[in-house]
Amino acid sequence: MSEFRLRDIYHPSEHIIPETPYEIDIETARQECKDTAEELAERASGFGEIPAERYLLRFEYGFSGKELKEASNVSLSTISKQTMGFRREILQFPTLSRIIGRFRSSRVDLTQPDLQDTELFNSEITLDGNQIDVTVTYHSGEPGRPYSWKYRLEARSTGDETAKSLLVDYLVDAEYGVLLKRRLRGVSHSLSSREPHCQDKRQYIVYPLPNPKVPRQDNTLMEAIEYHAAYDLDLVYNHIPWDLLESKLDTEPYTKARSPAYSEDETLLDRLKLTVSTDPINEYAQEQHLRDNLEHLLRVYPLEELSELPSETIDVLWNGSLEVCSPDGNAHTALSKALETSEVHRILVNKGY
C-alpha cells in the first residue's frame, strides 16, 4: 500500500477534491440492479420488481423522473407514485434498506486495507502562515467500534494565545456502502493542558457511495481520504472564522452540561483527572451512546432526513433502551437529543431527490 499524502492541499478549495461522476446509461443500470430489484420485490409487501427497479434508478443512480418516463414509456405521475411508494416501504422496513446498502457497497467494491491500527502520516504543514501539526491514523473495525474501518485526522495550530485543533473521523461502512465524515473543531489557551473548548455541534457529512465527491482510485478509500483530509484542513484553517469559538474561551466555562466532545476518550480522561464533572463516566457513556446510535441511523438511511423516519423504525435500529435517552421512551425524542450536539449534511448523487 502506498504512503499516505495530503493531495492537492495548496490548490484552490473548489479544486482539491476532484469530481468523479459515475457515468452509466439507464439500460446498463437496469441490468446492474436487476438482481437487487428482484430481492427487494420478494421482501416488500405489495410491490413488484418494476417499482423496486425504478426506485433504485431514481434514488441510487440519480436518473430524473423525466429520464425514467422516456425510458419506460409511462407517465411521470406513475413513476412518482411507484418510486415514492417504494421509498415509504423502505423507511418502514430497515431490512429493505440493508439490501440496498449491500447493493451500494457492491457497486464500489469496498475492500478493507490490509493494515493493523497504525499511523499513516505525521508532519507539519503551513496554511495561511500558520504552522499546523497533522497526524492521520488508520483504525480497523471490531466489536464496539460501529464502523468497518476509519481514518482519523488530527491537527493543531498553536499561536501566541490560543491553539486551534481539528478532529475529523472518516468512517467507512462496507455493509451499507457509506462514507460518514465526522468533524469537530476546538480551541484552548496555548499554555493550557486542558481539553479544547469545542464547537457546540459536531458536523456530519454523509456520502452514499458511489459519490461524485468521493474519488474512486482504490477500494479502501485511502486515496479519497487523502483528498478529503487536505480539503478539511484547507477549509478549517483557511476559510472558517474562529472568532466566535475563541471568544467562548473566556466567556463560557468548560463545565457546560453537554458537549459533542464528551464522546471522545481524551475528554473523559481529562474530566476524570480534573474532576470538573460530578459523573464524567456516565456523561461520556451517554453521549457516546447517542452518537453511535445517530451514526447507525445515518449509515442505514444515508439518503433520508432523519425526521422522516417512522418511530417504529428508529426503535428497531436503536441499540439499547430508548429510556436511557428519553424518559418517555419516545424514539423521536431520543433522536432529537442526539441531534442537540450534531448537525447533518448529505452529499447526494441524485439530481432531484
Side-chain angles (χ1 to χ4, degrees):
M1 184 170 290
S2 60
E3 183 179 346
F4 188 97
R5 61 191 178 94
L6 298 173
R7 293 176 179 261
D8 299 344
I9 190 168
Y10 297 112
H11 286 201
S13 300
E14 64 273 19
H15 298 308
I16 292 178
I17 301 176
E19 288 270 351
T20 54
Y22 191 84
E23 301 293 344
I24 188 171
D25 63 83
I26 197 165
E27 287 305 319
T28 302
R30 273 178 165 161
Q31 292 303 313
E32 189 176 85
C33 72
K34 179 177 175 58
D35 290 345
T36 300
E38 290 177 355
E39 185 178 3
L40 288 169
E42 290 174 0
R43 298 291 188 91
S45 175
F47 289 89
E49 185 178 336
I50 289 178
E53 176 192 275
R54 289 174 180 166
Y55 171 86
L56 294 171
L57 293 173
R58 176 71 187 278
F59 295 127
E60 290 297 324
Y61 287 93
F63 292 106
S64 67
K66 181 180 178 182
E67 289 172 305
L68 293 180
K69 173 181 177 294
E70 292 172 351
S72 306
N73 198 29
V74 296
S75 68
L76 196 59
S77 62
T78 297
I79 296 290
S80 178
K81 181 179 179 180
Q82 289 178 337
T83 56
M84 296 311 292
F86 203 84
R87 173 178 174 267
R88 287 191 292 271
E89 188 81 354
I90 291 168
L91 291 175
Q92 192 72 42
F93 298 103
T95 52
L96 300 178
S97 186
R98 189 170 292 113
I99 293 170
I100 294 172
R102 290 200 303 268
F103 171 65
R104 197 181 295 124
S105 185
S106 70
R107 291 179 66 198
V108 289
D109 191 23
L110 290 173
T111 304
Q112 184 164 351
D114 185 18
L115 291 172
Q116 301 295 322
D117 290 8
T118 187
E119 182 176 274
L120 301 173
F121 181 88
N122 190 330
S123 184
E124 184 179 80
I125 65 171
T126 302
L127 287 176
D128 198 27
N130 296 312
Q131 300 298 118
I132 306 168
D133 294 316
V134 179
T135 303
V136 178
T137 52
Y138 166 81
H139 306 265
S140 58
E142 60 182 36
R145 292 180 177 179
Y147 49 81
S148 302
W149 66 90
K150 80 171 182 178
Y151 303 94
R152 166 168 280 205
L153 166 69
E154 296 180 82
R156 179 180 171 91
S157 171
T158 304
D160 293 336
E161 296 184 0
T162 60
K164 303 173 183 177
S165 63
L166 171 66
L167 176 64
V168 188
D169 284 317
Y170 307 92
L171 311 172
V172 181
D173 191 313
E175 181 179 4
Y176 287 96
V178 174
L179 172 65
L180 183 61
K181 181 190 295 188
R182 180 174 67 213
R183 189 165 58 206
L184 184 65
R185 292 185 301 138
V187 295
S188 59
H189 293 292
S190 296
L191 300 179
S192 172
S193 61
R194 296 290 305 271
E195 61 175 274
H197 186 114
C198 292
Q199 63 194 89
D200 292 334
K201 293 191 176 186
R202 65 173 70 84
Q203 296 173 316
Y204 285 106
I205 302 93
V206 188
Y207 300 89
L209 302 173
N211 193 294
K213 288 293 187 180
V214 182
R216 296 185 301 277
Q217 284 90 339
D218 75 306
N219 297 340
T220 69
L221 297 190
M222 183 180 291
E223 290 189 32
I225 302 310
E226 292 176 332
Y227 288 109
H228 275 265
Y231 174 82
D232 290 323
L233 288 165
D234 173 74
L235 174 70
V236 168
Y237 287 102
N238 279 346
H239 300 288
I240 294 180
W242 289 79
D243 304 31
L244 180 60
L245 194 53
E246 289 178 308
S247 69
K248 293 183 178 182
L249 275 176
D250 298 316
T251 60
E252 291 189 8
Y254 279 90
T255 55
K256 54 191 301 185
R258 285 183 69 208
S259 163
Y262 273 2
S263 60
E264 298 299 328
D265 296 345
E266 295 82 356
T267 300
L268 171 63
L269 293 173
D270 189 69
R271 290 178 179 272
L272 285 170
K273 181 171 60 179
L274 297 171
T275 61
V276 296
S277 171
T278 56
D279 191 358
I281 294 177
N282 185 56
E283 289 171 347
Y284 166 82
Q286 287 209 25
E287 184 60 29
Q288 190 175 56
H289 176 73
L290 287 166
R291 186 197 71 182
D292 289 349
N293 275 291
L294 173 62
E295 292 175 3
H296 183 50
L297 293 173
L298 292 175
R299 296 195 304 272
V300 177
Y301 287 102
L303 304 181
E304 308 294 344
E305 294 296 329
L306 296 180
S307 60
E308 298 189 45
L309 295 181
S311 294
E312 297 80 7
T313 300
I314 299 173
D315 197 2
V316 167
L317 293 173
W318 200 267
N319 181 24
S321 172
L322 286 168
E323 281 77 5
V324 173
C325 315
S326 168
D328 59 3
N330 183 280
H332 278 105
T333 302
L335 178 58
S336 296
K337 188 171 180 62
L339 288 168
E340 286 177 7
T341 54
S342 299
E343 63 180 50
V344 177
H345 307 275
R346 287 173 174 79
I347 307 297
L348 303 181
V349 63
N350 313 64
K351 302 170 186 175
Y353 194 79

